[in-house]
Amino acid sequence: KYLKQIKINTAVIVDFFFFTAKVGKTSLIMSLVSEEFPDEVPLRAEEITIPADVTPERVPTHIVDYSEAEQSDEQLYQEISKANVICIVYSVNNKKSIEKVSLLLNVLILLSGHRVPLILVGNKSDLVEHSSMETILPIMNQYSEIETCVECSAKNLKNISELFYYAQKAVLHPTGPLYSPEEKEMKPSCIKALTRIFKISDLDNDGILNDNELNFFQVRAVFFSCLHTQTCFNIPLAPQALEDVKNVVRKNMSDGVKDNGLTLKGFLFLHTLFIQRGRHETTWTVLRRFGYDDDLELTQEYLFPLFKIPPDCTTELNHNAYLFLQSVFDKYDKDRDCALSPDELKDLFKVFPYMPWGPDVNNTVCTNEQGWITYQGYLSQWTLTTYLDVQRCLEYLGYLGYSIIQEQESQAAAITITRNKRIDLQKKQTQRGVFRCNVLGARGSGKSGFLQAFLGRNLARQKRIREDRKSYYAISTTYVYGQEKYLLLHEVLPDFEFLSEADLACDVVCLVYDISNPRSFEYCAKVYKKHFLDSKTPCVIIAAKSDLHEARQYYSLSPLDFCRKHKLHPPQLFTCNTDEAPSKDIYTKLTTMAMYPNNFGIQLSWNCHMILTLPVCVCFCSHAKLRCMCSCNRCTYCICHNLLNSELVRSVKAKLYSAVLNRSLNVGTFLLADEESSLTHQVHAVSFVEDSVYMESSVEPFVPVCNRHMTQADLKSSTFWLRASVGATVFAVLGFAMYKALLKQR
């Protein structure tokens, strides 16, 4: 009797049940244990456990005897209900015991519910010269539950070890789930599982397993060993052995070998041949290596390996995982157009039990003009799945056979857990590659357009998107300081009273309002004041639909004044109503803010001195307007532009203009004065300019130039600094003009 299957350190406990009286079943157990025939045989043997190291399958074996004289029918039923394999022993020299086998089979099959494999054991073969197989064979053909039949002798110790080997084999490698004896072919579930394994092993997707792919399969799945006398484990087959395998297929079917490679039909034929030859453990070895259980379903342990994520950490694919996904993309991109057509995508997901990507995926990632998912979009979708639902990603990688192809213990090796975000803030640097931006705004403010514009779709293309295929996510890549990063945009439903922590947890926030709707900005202001006023999450206000007429917002403060009050960036104008693909500058800025939140933790001050304390590369200059070719935001062109637009330079220019104007007025007033007086007046004007530039904070009242006293040393010093200032200004303007001209030529 086989009571139950218990896994203990990769071991399986196996119990046997022997039935039928006075046929030598107890003698078989005693002969196995003592390796000699017992002189005295009890009515019932004690329960015996054989250690794993002495069994062929390396599993502990638990043997239980049954005695009709000592046990009741109720006890018999309890034992059968727990059994996993039953050995029915009959005497080959007793016709009555053979005739009784059919009756016992009907009872046992009924009690066990057709779930227990059966083994027929013909004992006392030493007493007859003929075999009972001719009599037993019709019975075996009648009952599919019978795994095999063994003739043995407890007295001569004939086939005793083989008996227990086949009993173990019936449990560990059952024939029932694989093969139908009536139809003499594999069952549909087995064909489906082996077809998936074939497609995974067909690395170039040409429908043929060439020699390299066969060796790959042999090394990882321990295949074809049953065709040779030696057992091959993780060793490639010799060239002659590969030819022998293909010759066996050629002799039995015409389309099993093509272009010197094994087709799917040939692959399935080989497994059928293994099962028919009684070597179905080879097929089971393959199936279990690819994650299948006894019911030919992928196990939960295979699809969902143990994976724990600490708080405040995110999950990303590592470099090896991206290389694997790239190879999968290349495998199914048959026309090499760097996009997966619907047929190619369907072919890719044939190894899945269901279609994992719906039509909304095409509106979540980048596609080509035909609406097919591009290579970049393909990787982006995998990145999105890993970030939002890592368990689903592990499941998908399991279907693709990641652990087998990459020779990893599980597909958990494809995932990287990022460092705690608090540590990133403390160290002011991050190694993360995916950043999340939550997009909030009132209804009709342009959130969906903002998401789709990130994927390169203008308003005309967005209008072709069906409502039932709309996506609330958009993900693509941006470049920050030359590094490729993923930016994940998530559109949050406009109900700020019920925003969950998941809606607020992100790296950067976008508050979108419609500049043509006078009530649109009020929502952004309320959301910011309620959820993000004291938050360390960087916030940006987007003035969407900037191509329309700007309406005055019905709020106590204008958007610009609101940003000044809360030290936010000025509202960023945005529109997707363009002829070409919308600009992606704003998305690069969002990614930069997410990567370096410390630079924006207190938000940008409107004081001009704050601009000098922040990296120039993160100032909000528009590369589109500058026609700048760089992607790092740190070029000389951007630095000059930011410097010239800074509040400090503007104040200097304003005071310089006022000083020059005052000088002109003073010269006109004292036109009749002598030459020395005129020179003194001019020097006084220069002195006033200096005071205006370098003493910004001074509140000293204005004093007429003619009433101020100046020494000769002050005169010379002021004249020198005036000339130096004018020269530096002219040099900066000329240098800027030359750089702009050179940039246009480039």
Side-chain angles (χ1 to χ4, degrees), residues 55 84 98 130 162 184 195 254 267 342 345 364 373 389 405 408 469 489 538 540 589 639 661 682 689-690 705:
T55 60
N84 290 93
I98 297 176
H130 62 277
E162 286 77 3
K184 295 184 179 181
T195 301
S254 58
F267 182 77
L345 200 62
T364 305
I373 297 177
D389 191 351
I405 295 178
Q408 299 290 341
R469 297 184 177 181
L489 302 180
V540 177
K589 298 168 186 175
I639 293 175
L661 180 61
Q682 293 178 19
V689 172
E690 278 188 273
V705 177

Side-chain angles (χ1 to χ4, degrees), residues 116-136:
V116 182
L118 305 174
I119 294 180
L120 300 182
V121 181
N123 194 19
K124 304 182 181 181
S125 62
D126 59 292
L127 299 179
V128 296
E129 296 181 356
H130 62 277
S131 174
S132 63
M133 286 300 178
E134 294 183 0
T135 307
I136 295 298

Side-chain angles (χ1 to χ4, degrees), residues 67-68 80 83 90 136 143 159 177 182 239 270 307 390 409 489 497 566 651 675 679 682:
S67 174
E68 188 177 2
I80 292 176
Y90 66 93
I136 295 298
Y143 298 94
N159 290 340
E182 296 84 1
L270 277 178
F307 194 81
V390 67
E409 184 177 352
L489 302 180
E497 294 292 342
H566 297 286
S651 63
E675 182 177 354
L679 179 60
Q682 293 178 19

Side-chain angles (χ1 to χ4, degrees), residues 186-362:
M186 287 189 298
K187 292 185 177 180
S189 58
C190 182
I191 294 176
K192 181 180 179 182
L194 291 174
T195 301
R196 169 182 169 266
I197 294 172
F198 179 89
K199 289 186 68 66
I200 291 175
S201 303
D202 184 14
L203 301 179
D204 54 8
N205 197 34
D206 61 351
I208 300 172
L209 294 182
N210 55 39
D211 289 353
N212 292 332
E213 292 166 342
L214 286 174
N215 273 320
F216 158 83
F217 190 86
Q218 161 70 10
V219 170
R220 286 161 176 76
V222 195
F223 190 45
F224 301 141
S225 60
C226 65
L227 294 178
H228 306 87
T229 56
Q230 74 275 18
T231 302
C232 303
F233 292 91
N234 299 328
I235 300 175
L237 289 172
Q240 185 58 45
L242 288 172
E243 286 301 319
D244 292 342
V245 170
K246 289 182 277 192
N247 287 334
V248 170
V249 178
R250 288 191 185 100
K251 291 178 181 179
N252 291 273
M253 58 191 317
S254 58
D255 54 352
V257 178
K258 181 181 178 182
D259 297 334
N260 201 34
L262 203 62
T263 64
L264 176 60
K265 291 184 177 179
F267 182 77
L268 296 176
F269 167 78
L270 277 178
H271 281 282
T272 304
L273 187 63
F274 298 156
I275 297 171
Q276 291 174 347
R277 289 185 178 183
R279 298 300 301 270
H280 38 277
E281 66 271 15
T282 302
T283 300
W284 274 115
T285 300
V286 172
L287 290 169
R288 287 181 175 137
R289 179 66 185 89
F290 279 81
Y292 289 94
D293 59 12
D294 291 347
D295 298 323
L296 297 185
E297 298 289 342
L298 291 172
T299 64
Q300 294 297 304
E301 293 81 5
Y302 173 79
L303 291 177
F304 305 102
L306 185 62
F307 194 81
K308 295 183 179 180
I309 306 174
D312 295 328
C313 297
T314 59
T315 50
E316 300 176 4
L317 293 168
N318 57 33
H319 179 66
N320 290 332
Y322 279 116
L323 290 179
F324 169 76
L325 294 173
Q326 178 183 351
S327 66
V328 173
F329 183 92
D330 295 337
K331 174 180 176 179
Y332 291 97
D333 184 19
K334 295 181 179 179
D335 52 8
R336 297 292 182 265
D337 62 346
C338 291
L340 293 177
S341 66
D343 291 337
E344 291 172 341
L345 200 62
K346 185 178 179 181
D347 189 26
L348 188 155
F349 290 127
K350 280 184 179 179
V351 296
F352 286 61
Y354 56 89
M355 186 66 177
W357 292 359
D360 60 311
V361 174
N362 295 65

Side-chain angles (χ1 to χ4, degrees), residues 487-730:
L487 178 64
L488 168 60
L489 302 180
H490 172 46
E491 178 182 346
V492 181
L493 295 178
D495 194 351
F496 68 89
E497 294 292 342
F498 301 98
L499 290 178
S500 63
E501 292 198 5
D503 296 329
L504 302 176
C506 58
D507 301 300
V508 62
V509 176
C510 256
L511 301 174
V512 182
Y513 76 97
D514 179 3
I515 66 171
S516 63
N517 184 353
R519 301 186 182 275
S520 183
F521 179 74
E522 182 179 5
Y523 176 90
C524 297
K526 290 182 178 180
V527 169
Y528 177 81
K529 292 170 68 175
K530 181 174 182 179
H531 297 289
F532 302 106
L533 182 61
D534 299 323
S535 172
K536 294 182 179 180
T537 304
C539 295
V540 177
I541 294 180
I542 304 296
K545 305 180 183 180
S546 60
D547 57 303
L548 302 179
H549 175 70
E550 183 175 3
R552 182 177 180 180
Q553 297 295 318
Y554 294 163
Y555 189 69
S556 57
L557 295 174
S558 68
L560 187 61
D561 293 335
F562 181 87
C563 293
R564 286 177 177 171
K565 178 180 178 181
H566 297 286
K567 298 181 180 179
L568 297 172
H569 292 288
Q572 302 297 300
L573 298 178
F574 176 82
T575 180
C576 57
N577 189 13
T578 57
D579 295 333
E580 302 296 332
S583 172
K584 291 190 176 183
D585 292 334
I586 182 62
Y587 306 105
T588 302
K589 298 168 186 175
L590 290 173
T591 311
T592 306
M593 294 176 68
M595 286 183 65
Y596 302 100
N598 289 310
N599 293 334
F600 298 88
I602 56 175
Q603 304 297 342
L604 274 184
S605 171
W606 287 79
N607 190 305
C608 60
H609 299 290
M610 180 61 68
I611 295 179
L612 298 179
T613 64
L614 290 174
V616 178
C617 56
V618 296
C619 291
F620 268 52
C621 66
S622 176
H623 274 61
K625 294 181 179 179
L626 298 177
R627 296 189 179 93
C628 185
M629 301 293 291
C630 74
S631 61
C632 65
N633 273 0
R634 303 180 69 177
C635 64
T636 306
Y637 190 77
C638 299
I639 293 175
C640 293
H641 186 273
N642 290 322
L643 180 62
L644 291 177
N645 287 339
S646 64
E647 293 291 334
L648 178 61
V649 174
R650 289 181 179 178
S651 63
V652 170
K653 289 165 59 179
K655 293 183 182 297
L656 182 63
Y657 292 155
S658 63
V660 172
L661 180 61
N662 289 332
R663 173 183 177 279
S664 300
L665 293 175
N666 290 331
V667 170
T669 304
F670 300 101
L671 184 62
L672 300 178
D674 58 6
E675 182 177 354
E676 181 179 356
S677 178
S678 299
L679 179 60
T680 302
H681 290 170
Q682 293 178 19
V683 171
H684 286 169
V686 173
S687 178
F688 175 74
V689 172
E690 278 188 273
D691 293 341
S692 300
V693 174
Y694 295 106
M695 300 178 63
E696 238 180 289
S697 58
S698 176
V699 294
E700 183 179 286
F702 178 77
V703 180
V705 177
C706 59
N707 295 331
R708 301 186 64 178
H709 175 71
M710 176 170 288
T711 64
Q712 189 69 18
D714 292 335
L715 174 64
K716 292 181 180 180
S717 177
S718 300
T719 305
F720 169 77
W721 285 111
L722 176 62
R723 292 175 180 177
S725 301
V726 173
T729 304
V730 173

Side-chain angles (χ1 to χ4, degrees), residues 158-175:
K158 176 185 176 182
N159 290 340
I160 300 297
S161 298
E162 286 77 3
L163 163 62
F164 291 94
Y165 167 73
Y166 284 119
Q168 287 179 331
K169 185 177 175 181
V171 177
L172 301 175
H173 311 298
T175 308

Side-chain angles (χ1 to χ4, degrees), residues 447-503:
K447 301 187 299 296
S448 299
F450 185 74
L451 265 66
Q452 293 300 314
F454 185 36
L455 305 178
R457 296 169 185 151
N458 56 20
L459 186 61
R461 289 187 62 184
Q462 294 179 25
K463 289 181 178 179
R464 298 197 293 265
I465 299 176
R466 291 169 47 178
E467 187 65 26
D468 57 340
R469 297 184 177 181
K470 180 182 177 182
S471 175
Y472 292 99
Y473 291 93
I475 183 171
S476 188
T477 56
T478 60
Y479 286 88
V480 178
Y481 306 156
Q483 300 179 17
E484 185 183 52
K485 301 293 181 181
Y486 282 94
L487 178 64
L488 168 60
L489 302 180
H490 172 46
E491 178 182 346
V492 181
L493 295 178
D495 194 351
F496 68 89
E497 294 292 342
F498 301 98
L499 290 178
S500 63
E501 292 198 5
D503 296 329

